[in-house]
Amino acid sequence: MLDDDRVDTVKRLLFDYVKSPSLRHIKDPYMLIKLAQDIVKKLDRGNSAWTKWNGPREQLVESATACWIPIGDLQDHLNRMEGPKLSFSDVEQRLKAFADERYSEYPRDELQEGCLAVYGAEKALGTEMPAIVGVLRDHIEKEEERLRLEQDAHFRQLREAEAAAAEQRLLSGADCKWTPQQGSKDVFCRVSGRLFRLTTTTDKRVELYRSENLEAGKGTLLGKYLKRGDATKAVAQIAYQPEF
């Protein structure tokens, strides 16, 4: 790689990095380390074992790493670019190598059908390969966000179901761990059939009460503690002691 090319490579990576609107992202030590690694990788490719690959070819294939694109079509386009003729295996293995460099950035199976549909539609319109790659990357970004939101919603539903089941256990009179009850800021637990109530004070400490039932008010104060864990340890002992 010529010196001018090396400078251009570093300059492009730095410009891309500082485009981030987040100052926290720019100053993030992890992201800076990753930037340094990317710079080294780009410069090292000047002495790469992949001798058929020049800058434009590598840039296109690297961009397509996470996309579902028929390898034969990608091969045809690359062979119309400057450079030695590439075989199907050349392209397939270069894609895999880029994916490995990016810590398993392989195309996601759940996005295959949608990506191939987008690819087919763009190809039918006569869109050239670099533009199709850009369209696919935008599509993947949106789909990954959709999947993330769906997963978040699923986990939220699970948490809500678990909370409802825990409250039902509390209401049924069964032993249970600390459980919130609708309409109350306190949490309750039942051990050995005895109901305990935990109240957070204004100074962020907790007060432990022995209650007769959920409707009977706070009940008898058993102690004040720095945190819930301390109260839980106290309950583990008190619950099995004789009541007077």
Side-chain angles (χ1 to χ4, degrees):
M1 185 181 290
L2 299 177
D3 286 345
D4 287 347
D5 292 336
R6 292 164 65 87
V7 171
D8 287 341
T9 297
V10 174
K11 183 169 63 176
R12 178 168 55 82
L13 288 171
L14 291 174
F15 281 166
D16 288 344
Y17 184 77
V18 298
K19 282 180 183 177
S20 172
S22 170
L23 187 59
R24 178 181 296 179
H25 172 271
I26 292 174
K27 292 184 176 181
D28 186 341
Y30 171 79
M31 298 307 299
L32 287 171
I33 292 172
K34 185 176 183 302
L35 172 63
Q37 291 172 336
D38 288 343
I39 290 174
V40 171
K41 287 177 182 177
K42 289 285 188 180
L43 296 180
D44 284 348
R45 284 179 193 146
N47 299 314
S48 173
W50 301 87
T51 58
K52 293 183 179 181
W53 296 84
N54 54 30
R57 277 180 164 179
E58 291 220 321
Q59 186 175 357
L60 177 60
V61 171
E62 185 176 12
S63 297
T65 302
C67 303
W68 283 102
I69 296 176
I71 294 177
D73 288 1
L74 185 57
Q75 176 196 2
D76 290 342
H77 180 84
L78 290 167
N79 278 330
R80 290 194 294 271
M81 298 172 66
E82 182 181 352
K85 185 176 181 180
L86 298 167
S87 69
F88 185 94
S89 295
D90 283 329
V91 180
E92 180 183 43
Q93 295 305 315
R94 196 68 187 100
L95 283 167
K96 288 183 178 180
F98 273 125
D100 289 339
E101 286 179 13
R102 292 187 170 196
Y103 306 101
S104 300
E105 190 184 19
Y106 286 93
R108 296 178 59 170
D109 291 341
E110 60 268 44
L111 301 181
Q112 180 178 10
E113 183 177 352
C115 282
L116 291 178
V118 171
Y119 177 83
E122 291 295 333
K123 182 179 179 181
L125 292 172
T127 308
E128 66 175 349
M129 186 62 71
I132 293 179
V133 171
V135 171
L136 284 174
R137 288 173 65 89
D138 291 342
H139 171 76
I140 289 170
E141 183 177 352
K142 292 176 182 177
E143 286 298 289
E144 287 180 337
E145 177 65 10
R146 177 184 63 80
L147 292 174
R148 185 189 66 79
L149 292 175
E150 288 180 356
Q151 186 178 57
D152 288 348
H154 175 67
F155 286 144
R156 185 167 57 252
Q157 290 173 355
L158 287 178
R159 289 194 297 269
E160 291 172 353
E162 290 171 355
E167 184 176 6
Q168 185 57 43
R169 185 174 179 83
L170 171 68
L171 295 173
S172 71
D175 282 6
C176 59
K177 297 180 180 180
W178 293 115
T179 304
Q181 184 189 23
Q182 287 188 4
S184 175
K185 295 181 179 180
D186 298 342
V187 292
F188 303 82
C189 79
R190 189 177 285 105
V191 180
S192 189
R194 300 177 184 179
L195 181 66
F196 299 90
R197 182 176 190 139
L198 204 61
T199 299
T200 302
T201 62
T202 54
D203 60 357
K204 304 301 181 182
R205 296 171 181 259
V206 292
E207 295 177 342
L208 177 65
Y209 294 87
R210 169 74 169 94
S211 299
E212 291 300 322
N213 55 64
L214 294 170
E215 294 78 24
K218 289 187 176 181
T220 304
L221 178 64
L222 300 178
K224 297 182 179 181
Y225 304 91
L226 287 174
K227 53 188 178 180
R228 182 186 294 191
D230 297 331
T232 301
K233 292 177 182 178
V235 168
Q237 296 180 349
I238 297 171
Y240 298 99
Q241 294 177 358
E243 290 192 296
F244 299 98

